[in-house]
Amino acid sequence: MKKEKIIRRFAVIITILIILSGCIAFAYLITTIIFLIMGNEMIGGLPPIFLIISLAISAFFAFLVKWYLVNRNKTQYMGIFGPVIQVMERISKGDFKVRLDDTIQENRPLSELVKSVNSMASDLDRMEKMRQEFISNVSHEIQSPLASISGFAHALQNDALSHADRKHYLNIIEAESMRLSRLSDNLLKLASLESESIKFEPKVYRLDKQLRNLILTCEPQWMEKKIEMEASIEEVNITADEDLMSQVWINLIHNSIKFTMEGGTIHVGLHCQDGKIEIMISDTGIGIEEEDQTRIFERFYKADKSRERSNKGSGLGLSIVKKIVDMHHGTISVQSKLGTGTTFIVTLPN
């Protein structure tokens, strides 16, 4: 390493000396020509003025060389990075649709930088659209129950209302208030999960016991619809956050109950395969259209638009499920056929 530094410094010194020698030689030639043109003779030695002029010209040419080298680097720098800097400034001001011409750096080593900047702008543009859509969806979800509460509260001011109508309106106001509460709770929960501010405390516990307990907890809901609940659950130990994972299973089981017709069947399976833990929750419900299956884990997305009012869902449940599964380095997928049923498959590390 020291040897390389010495060689590098020696090369720099030699280069400087060569440049200075060239400047001096060129200055000497120019000064000689000037003196000859002026008819001055240099017999008997060089006059002092000759040396002064020669040194001045030499210094001038050395300055020109230095100026050229510095400005050549600046020009080259601006030629390469100028468009990138301009695009970055526009991105910083919120213009995420701007793109660099990826052909301008086609034969340069900075082509990867151009591609990265364009990719970053595309990702930011996509995130901005998602943010705007999220705000729009939140506003819609809040306005809907608020409109119901306001309308029925106004109707309650009518003294001519019967006791039955008054009770009916109050039940609607209570239901819509609970809907708002659930929406607020889910929004806070999702925000905590995405900011990773929520406590994540994995420990070893029996996953099969957890699933059995949660199935029994949901018994009033599936018994009310006369749904046949089946389970094939192996004894499995897992290292995970028990409270967070319980939200996953409750959400999936509740969804199956919600979208399964009366007299249908729900099957919960748990087994280990190839070093992975696989949980399957299947139902004989209404199913999900193929084009909707890739989007059901998006926030506020509702595959069944016709039932969004009757089911009172916020479209956040599956987003929360996916985030929790991702936190545990697992995967979740869906298999469904319209009118036949749906199967959610959660795979977790063993």
Side-chain angles (χ1 to χ4, degrees):
M1 189 69 181
K2 290 182 179 179
K3 186 177 180 180
E4 291 179 0
K5 285 185 178 179
I6 293 171
I7 293 173
R8 194 180 297 115
R9 288 175 183 174
F10 182 74
V12 170
I13 292 170
I14 294 297
T15 303
I16 292 172
L17 289 174
I18 291 172
I19 293 172
L20 289 175
S21 299
C23 290
I24 292 170
F26 189 69
Y28 186 87
L29 177 64
I30 295 296
T31 308
T32 302
I33 293 171
I34 291 171
F35 264 74
L36 291 174
I37 290 172
M38 293 176 65
N40 295 321
E41 295 181 357
M42 294 183 289
I43 301 171
L46 296 173
I49 190 64
F50 179 89
L51 295 174
I52 294 172
I53 294 173
S54 181
L55 287 172
I57 294 174
S58 175
F60 175 73
F61 279 114
F63 172 78
L64 284 180
V65 170
K66 179 184 177 183
W67 179 87
Y68 169 75
L69 292 173
V70 171
N71 284 275
R72 185 191 66 173
N73 290 337
K74 285 184 179 179
T75 304
Q76 185 180 15
Y77 173 84
M78 290 306 296
I80 294 174
F81 291 102
V84 177
I85 293 171
Q86 291 174 5
V87 167
M88 295 294 285
E89 287 177 349
R90 290 177 63 180
I91 290 174
S92 69
K93 293 177 182 177
D95 182 4
F96 303 132
K97 297 187 180 298
V98 65
R99 298 290 185 274
L100 280 167
D101 183 2
D102 54 8
T103 61
I104 62 173
Q105 299 292 341
E106 191 174 9
N107 299 317
R108 299 182 184 181
L110 290 175
S111 59
E112 290 300 320
L113 175 61
V114 172
K115 291 178 183 176
S116 297
V117 171
N118 284 340
S119 177
M120 178 185 69
S122 298
D123 290 342
L124 288 172
D125 188 33
R126 180 175 54 81
M127 290 175 65
E128 176 63 16
K129 289 177 181 177
M130 288 176 62
R131 185 186 69 84
Q132 292 175 359
E133 185 180 359
F134 177 76
I135 292 172
S136 174
N137 287 332
V138 170
S139 300
H140 173 75
E141 290 293 333
I142 290 175
Q143 285 299 324
S144 181
L146 281 178
S148 294
I149 292 170
S150 176
F152 286 109
H154 182 73
L156 284 170
Q157 296 178 17
N158 185 356
D159 295 333
L161 277 178
S162 66
H163 177 73
D165 286 340
R166 190 177 298 276
K167 186 176 180 180
H168 175 64
Y169 292 167
L170 286 171
N171 287 336
I172 293 175
I173 290 174
E174 183 182 14
E176 293 296 282
S177 299
M178 291 177 65
R179 182 181 170 195
L180 271 177
S181 178
R182 286 194 301 270
L183 174 63
S184 174
D185 183 58
N186 284 334
L187 282 170
L188 289 172
K189 193 178 296 179
L190 188 59
S192 298
L193 289 169
E194 291 186 340
S195 66
E196 297 182 357
S197 61
I198 197 166
K199 281 187 176 181
F200 182 62
E201 300 175 339
K203 64 178 182 180
V204 179
Y205 71 92
R206 286 275 298 278
L207 180 56
D208 55 301
K209 284 187 176 181
Q210 183 184 43
L211 286 171
R212 292 183 191 279
N213 290 336
L214 292 175
I215 290 171
L216 291 174
T217 301
C218 300
E219 185 176 3
Q221 287 80 33
W222 51 265
M223 286 291 288
E224 183 182 0
K225 296 180 73 173
K226 299 181 176 61
I227 293 173
E228 184 179 351
M229 183 66 71
E230 299 176 347
S232 56
I233 298 176
E234 297 179 6
E235 183 178 321
V236 174
N237 289 320
I238 188 173
T239 302
D241 188 304
E242 190 171 1
D243 291 337
L244 289 178
M245 291 309 299
S246 68
Q247 295 179 41
V248 172
W249 315 131
I250 288 174
N251 265 299
L252 294 178
I253 293 171
H254 277 181
N255 269 358
S256 291
I257 296 172
K258 183 190 299 183
F259 294 109
T260 299
M261 298 297 106
E262 187 171 327
T265 303
I266 295 175
H267 179 85
V268 179
L270 167 64
H271 63 275
C272 291
Q273 183 177 0
D274 300 327
K276 299 283 186 180
I277 299 171
E278 188 174 87
I279 303 93
M280 299 177 65
I281 299 177
S282 304
D283 62 60
T284 57
I286 61 175
I288 305 170
E289 291 188 14
E290 189 174 349
E291 57 267 28
D292 291 325
Q293 292 178 28
T294 57
R295 299 194 59 193
I296 58 173
F297 297 107
E298 295 178 14
R299 289 173 294 186
F300 290 107
Y301 188 78
K302 296 177 182 179
D304 189 25
K305 301 293 191 300
S306 65
R307 291 174 173 82
E308 68 177 74
R309 286 290 299 167
S310 62
N311 283 317
K312 307 295 183 184
S314 65
L316 289 174
L318 289 177
S319 297
I320 293 171
V321 165
K322 188 175 189 311
K323 184 61 183 176
I324 294 173
V325 172
D326 288 343
M327 288 173 65
H328 288 82
H329 307 290
T331 60
I332 181 169
S333 60
V334 61
Q335 298 174 358
S336 185
K337 188 175 180 181
L338 201 63
T340 302
T342 302
T343 299
F344 282 95
I345 303 168
V346 178
T347 305
L348 297 167
N350 192 351

